[in-house]
Amino acid sequence: MNQSKKIAAYPQRTFWGTDDTYHVMNTLVGDFGFTTGDFRHGVSVQAGQLADQDDTDEIEGHYAAGLYSEGTVGALDLSAQFVHYDLDEVDGDVTQGSGQKAMVNVGTDVGSWYTYSDLSMSMPDSDIADDDQIDLVLGGRYNYGPGNIYVEVLLENLTDDEDVETNDEFSQSIDLTMDYYF
């Protein structure tokens, strides 16, 4: 897959904490894969520490392991990923805990635009009923030369169940962003 076109799932807002909770440190990351034709298949793993922002002596662990496949079929860029994660609670600050995430991404060139859709499902390991969440991002990126203009429609929590972290139900938004490189 052309790295400049690589698509990624919409990042989770609070996966690695906030400026006043905890942060990631001393993390080792590995990627092991192979290529067949126009596809790369592999396993990606990471393990490290989470530290409290106020008390760096308060350290817990985190790890994640994922299976992925990415490549092209004709004009379509395709990727799929399944991840298991585990983030320990840090000095009372709630993390995402443990669970799984599954993501499927499709993208293609349409004239001067690169359009994409990212579908993701979060499946936390918790005792709360109906806590799985499905999110969808439909977007496009226009390369105007020194940067890109992005237009995205975000449909969060398509299952319309209460979100474990934010207590939000289904929401939608339209984002328009622009970057410039010099």
Side-chain angles (χ1 to χ4, degrees):
M1 179 183 293
N2 180 337
Q3 291 300 318
S4 65
K5 293 184 180 179
K6 189 171 184 178
I7 27 186
Y10 188 70
Q12 294 294 322
R13 295 180 294 262
T14 58
F15 196 81
W16 294 118
T18 63
D19 290 340
D20 58 354
T21 57
Y22 60 93
H23 65 274
V24 175
M25 58 185 259
N26 301 328
T27 299
L28 181 63
V29 177
D31 182 66
F32 312 94
F34 62 94
T35 302
T36 59
D38 291 333
F39 275 84
R40 177 168 174 78
H41 312 281
V43 174
S44 184
V45 294
Q46 64 174 281
Q49 297 175 319
L50 300 174
D52 185 277
Q53 291 286 61
D54 297 325
D55 180 6
T56 55
D57 291 334
E58 183 68 36
I59 296 176
E60 298 295 337
H62 74 87
Y63 76 87
L67 298 172
Y68 68 88
S69 183
E70 61 185 10
T72 59
V73 174
L76 293 178
D77 296 325
L78 306 171
S79 68
Q81 185 174 22
F82 182 82
V83 176
H84 176 79
Y85 61 89
D86 190 345
L87 290 82
D88 293 335
E89 187 174 293
V90 180
D91 194 27
D93 291 325
V94 177
T95 67
Q96 281 199 358
S98 64
Q100 297 78 38
K101 291 186 180 283
M103 296 151 280
V104 177
N105 316 103
V106 178
T108 190
D109 286 312
V110 178
S112 298
W113 285 84
Y114 182 76
T115 60
Y116 52 90
S117 62
D118 300 335
L119 181 66
S120 64
M121 181 173 186
S122 299
M123 301 157 285
D125 296 338
S126 68
D127 296 331
I128 300 171
D130 299 325
D131 56 0
D132 294 352
Q133 179 174 324
I134 298 173
D135 300 326
L136 177 64
V137 176
L138 302 171
R141 175 180 71 222
Y142 177 76
N143 184 321
Y144 68 91
N148 294 294
I149 298 172
Y150 297 86
V151 177
E152 293 183 329
V153 175
L154 310 173
L155 304 172
E156 296 180 289
N157 202 359
L158 294 174
T159 55
D160 201 27
D161 294 323
E162 187 172 309
D163 183 314
V164 176
E165 293 176 31
T166 63
N167 296 322
D168 290 338
E169 293 185 358
F170 172 74
S171 66
Q172 64 277 344
S173 63
I174 297 175
D175 289 341
L176 176 64
T177 56
M178 179 177 162
D179 58 26
Y180 179 82
Y181 299 99
F182 52 92

